[in-house]
Amino acid sequence: MAKIAYILLCHKDPDAIIAQANQLTATGDFIAIHFDARAKAADYKAIRTALADNPNVAFAKKRIKCGWGEWSLVRATLNAIETAVDAFPRASHFYMLSGDCMAIKTAEYIHRYLDEHDMDFVESFDYFESDWIKTGMKEERLIYRHVFNERTQSWLFYKSMEWQEKLGLTREVPADIQVQIGSQWWCLRRRTIEAILRFIRKRRDVVRFFATTWIPDETFFQTLVRHLIPETEINCRTLTFLMFSDYGMPVVLYNDHYEMLLNQDFLFARKISPDALELRERLGALYASEGVAFEISNEGRTLYKFLTQGGRIGQRFAPRFWETEASLGRERELLVITCKKWHVAKRLVEQIRNSMDLPAVDYLFHEEDCPLPDLGGAERTLLKRTRHRRALLRMLFDHWGRNRMVICLDPSAIDLVRDFIADRSRTRLLRIDCEFSDDYLVGHALRVGLIGERTSAGVIERLMPTIRNDLERETVDLLDAGLDNHWAISPDQTEEDWAEAIGAFLQVDRDKALEIARTPHLFAD
């Protein structure tokens, strides 16, 4: 059975560290602690005193003053690893943690998981070929020597790079090393850890290289594992659940995240807020529990994105001077039908096709398989269609040789609506309002990935009001879009009401509008 030696790097909150160590060792696992040498001496003394009688706790023999982005973090990790290897010969796995991490599964589950997956778990993507680094420095992290800290010595940090560039003092990566990058939260088998320790004793040149790179905790272990271990024995993922905000900062987890965390396909989570005392207590008790069944739905990151980004509307599609020739044309008229229930809008559009000599397209910006003519490749993917939306519509107008056209949009596409309103062409909008039962909302959440088949009833129940409010907000956004030619129909109206709105929208007489309004089973689910 797996025995885990946790490698804990921490620098604050001694009470939380003591509790964390006692919780993780209560089931027979081990922990090696490195407490930052910059931290208060009294805090370190309190931790050592409180854990002195726990035989499954060890402390790094040498403490390092750590700085974000520095080699000191890797050196501190190695010090704790060396201590753990010597102190805990029965440890089969070594799991990297911070003081903000906590288990979100039972020890029983974690041990069984590691027994069933005889692999090293570490994110490791090719440094130069992957897009793991989204912004900021990339090559510069490696080819220049970094002896100053960007956060505390910013001027010296950038001046040093500038001087090295001017003097041509770049360097090569060690020839036999293919640098990798990934999350610093890994879980490695004992034989892998021992292979790394042997390697760094033999290859001082590799250690010297990484010692002056920037943010080596994202590259050092990731690179050496790939260098030493067959690819078939590496699972390129972290077992620690974490999320990042739009600003690249770790998302902090609180008491009300408990149920969501248990549903994620991970063993640990960070960052747990120091103020989330209830969450810490519940997760600590969970680790020692037995016979707990977990329903893995894994929707945490999707939910976070939905809840934090859904209402952010900027001016991305405001008119730009270089778009003066990208207009649909003053003589053209775009007829937009918006409806959340796509099958309802499609029924109405099909009736329009059958009743009028008017080209109409379904959800061309939402459905990859929406039938479109050959437009030279611009129609092939949703990304291309959206990016070149005005050009796409111009080509459709030209293809049909018409100056009026109907398209369907999901109400969430408010940016597209705004863009078409801002165009020189005339835009008319028919909004189809629908009623949403709880069953429909659950189905909608499944379709868009907010929940999974195994998401607990409690999570779904708490999510429903948010989803309903989000759909209502989409209607408000359409009303606020500033379009004069805007009509709406809803299931609580009569056919006469529908005909009046449809007639005004399509600019047809009453008889034709009634014919279209009498679309069979228009609002049926």
Side-chain angles (χ1 to χ4, degrees):
M1 182 178 181
K3 285 283 187 180
I4 305 168
Y6 293 106
I7 307 301
L8 177 65
L9 261 59
C10 48
H11 64 281
K12 61 180 180 180
D13 203 347
D15 291 339
I17 300 303
I18 294 165
Q20 186 180 23
N22 284 328
Q23 289 161 0
L24 292 176
T25 58
T27 57
D29 289 317
F30 314 103
I31 191 166
I33 301 174
H34 179 278
F35 195 72
D36 194 336
R38 295 182 189 275
K40 296 178 181 177
D43 288 346
Y44 181 58
K45 182 179 179 181
I47 295 171
R48 295 216 55 151
T49 301
L51 298 174
D53 296 329
N54 189 329
N56 288 1
V57 176
F59 291 86
K61 294 181 176 64
K62 183 177 180 181
R63 293 167 63 206
I64 303 293
K65 292 182 178 181
C66 296
W68 189 92
E70 294 178 3
W71 169 253
S72 55
L73 288 173
V74 177
R75 184 67 262 175
T77 305
L78 289 170
N79 289 355
I81 288 173
E82 290 167 351
T83 296
V85 168
D86 293 339
F88 310 125
R90 295 170 55 212
S92 61
H93 293 76
F94 295 75
Y95 197 122
M96 180 73 179
L97 293 175
S98 76
D100 298 320
C101 298
M102 290 200 71
I104 55 174
K105 299 291 187 293
T106 61
E108 179 182 65
Y109 181 101
I110 293 173
H111 294 151
R112 184 171 63 247
Y113 186 94
L114 295 179
D115 285 338
E116 293 173 354
H117 301 82
D118 184 21
M119 306 188 82
D120 295 308
F121 292 88
V122 56
E123 279 191 355
S124 50
F125 304 98
D126 187 279
Y127 189 92
F128 296 101
E129 299 298 327
S130 73
D131 63 347
W132 199 86
I133 297 176
K134 303 298 183 185
T135 60
M137 294 186 299
K138 189 169 185 177
E139 185 182 37
E140 295 87 348
R141 290 194 193 184
L142 305 180
I143 64 172
Y144 298 123
R145 296 162 180 81
H146 298 279
V147 295
F148 302 106
N149 188 294
E150 182 193 26
R151 292 191 170 184
T152 59
Q153 301 165 299
S154 179
W155 186 87
L156 288 171
F157 180 90
Y158 288 105
K159 269 298 177 186
S160 171
M161 278 205 304
E162 181 185 327
W163 292 334
Q164 290 179 70
E165 181 181 11
K166 287 181 177 179
L167 295 172
L169 299 179
T170 59
R171 59 178 175 176
E172 298 292 333
V173 175
D176 60 333
I177 295 294
Q178 186 175 3
V179 180
Q180 305 286 308
I181 190 165
S183 168
Q184 63 268 55
W185 310 111
W186 41 254
C187 177
L188 304 178
R189 298 166 298 174
R190 186 180 193 93
R191 59 181 175 270
T192 302
I193 288 291
E194 290 175 343
I196 290 173
L197 294 180
R198 288 194 300 269
F199 180 85
I200 64 176
R201 286 193 290 267
K202 181 180 178 182
R203 293 293 302 273
R204 304 307 299 172
D205 61 315
V206 173
V207 175
R208 285 193 297 271
F209 172 77
F210 279 103
T212 51
T213 60
W214 182 236
I215 320 182
D217 53 323
E218 293 180 350
T219 56
F220 181 76
F221 292 100
Q222 297 78 355
T223 300
L224 295 196
V225 172
R226 283 283 176 189
H227 185 72
L228 298 169
I229 304 300
E231 184 176 359
T232 54
E233 297 181 29
I234 301 172
N235 192 321
C236 189
R237 62 163 293 194
T238 175
L239 295 176
T240 298
F241 175 73
L242 65 162
M243 299 183 291
F244 289 92
S245 71
D246 293 348
Y247 306 101
M249 301 298 293
V251 173
V252 179
L253 302 164
Y254 295 94
N255 292 334
D256 57 351
H257 289 119
Y258 177 79
E259 191 169 335
M260 180 273 287
L261 290 174
L262 267 57
N263 292 339
Q264 305 314 303
D265 187 21
F266 294 87
L267 306 183
F268 280 74
R270 72 180 305 266
K271 286 185 154 187
I272 308 296
S273 169
D275 298 322
L277 301 181
E278 179 186 343
L279 177 60
R280 288 177 173 272
E281 183 178 349
R282 295 179 74 182
L283 291 177
L286 174 73
Y287 187 74
S289 302
E290 296 181 355
V292 178
F294 296 92
E295 292 290 338
I296 305 301
S297 54
N298 217 34
E299 76 290 353
R301 288 171 177 158
T302 307
L303 275 174
Y304 174 77
K305 183 178 179 180
F306 166 70
L307 294 172
T308 57
Q309 296 181 358
R312 296 177 186 171
I313 298 168
Q315 299 300 317
R316 178 181 174 188
F317 294 116
R320 296 159 170 86
F321 71 89
W322 58 83
E323 291 179 338
T324 54
E325 300 304 319
S327 171
L328 302 183
R330 293 185 185 278
E331 73 285 0
R332 285 171 171 164
E333 189 169 61
L334 184 65
L335 305 171
V336 179
I337 296 177
T338 67
C339 184
K340 200 67 182 179
K341 293 185 176 180
W342 293 3
H343 59 278
V344 175
K346 288 180 179 181
R347 286 187 193 129
L348 186 65
V349 167
E350 185 61 27
Q351 189 78 345
I352 291 172
R353 288 195 193 100
N354 295 334
S355 301
M356 298 178 62
D357 181 21
L358 184 63
V361 191
D362 293 340
Y363 288 85
L364 73 167
F365 294 107
H366 308 285
E367 290 185 307
E368 199 90 53
D369 58 355
C370 174
L372 290 172
D374 185 352
L375 301 173
E379 81 288 350
R380 289 177 187 167
T381 67
L382 291 179
L383 181 62
K384 283 188 176 181
R385 293 177 201 171
T386 303
R387 182 183 299 161
H388 307 295
R389 55 203 171 275
R390 292 191 185 184
L392 180 77
L393 293 182
R394 280 203 316 275
M395 286 188 283
L396 286 174
F397 278 119
D398 292 339
H399 173 80
W400 283 307
R402 307 294 296 277
N403 284 335
R404 299 183 82 216
M405 177 171 61
V406 176
I407 67 169
C408 293
L409 290 179
D410 188 274
S412 63
I414 185 65
D415 288 331
L416 291 178
V417 174
R418 285 199 176 100
D419 187 39
F420 297 142
I421 291 173
D423 189 71
R424 296 176 182 176
S425 62
R426 298 183 300 277
T427 302
R428 305 168 74 83
L429 178 71
L430 177 66
R431 195 183 76 246
I432 304 179
D433 295 333
C434 296
E435 295 175 349
F436 304 111
S437 65
D438 287 346
D439 287 343
Y440 174 84
L441 294 181
V442 171
H444 171 71
L446 279 167
R447 286 190 294 275
V448 300
L450 290 177
I451 61 174
E453 294 290 346
R454 297 183 177 181
T455 301
S456 67
V459 170
I460 293 174
E461 183 179 355
R462 288 197 295 272
L463 187 60
M464 286 304 99
T466 303
I467 296 177
R468 190 177 295 278
N469 290 339
D470 194 62
L471 299 187
E472 292 174 356
R473 178 188 55 78
E474 291 175 354
T475 299
V476 173
D477 288 344
L478 288 171
L479 290 169
D480 291 342
L483 182 61
D484 294 332
N485 299 316
H486 182 167
W487 298 268
I489 62 174
S490 61
D492 59 352
Q493 295 174 325
T494 65
E495 283 186 354
E496 290 287 343
D497 294 328
W498 298 346
E500 182 179 351
I502 291 170
F505 170 66
L506 294 174
Q507 295 176 301
V508 296
D509 60 36
R510 181 178 178 278
D511 290 342
K512 181 62 69 177
L514 270 173
E515 179 185 342
I516 296 170
R518 287 170 180 158
T519 301
H521 315 294
L522 177 58
F523 283 95
D525 287 333

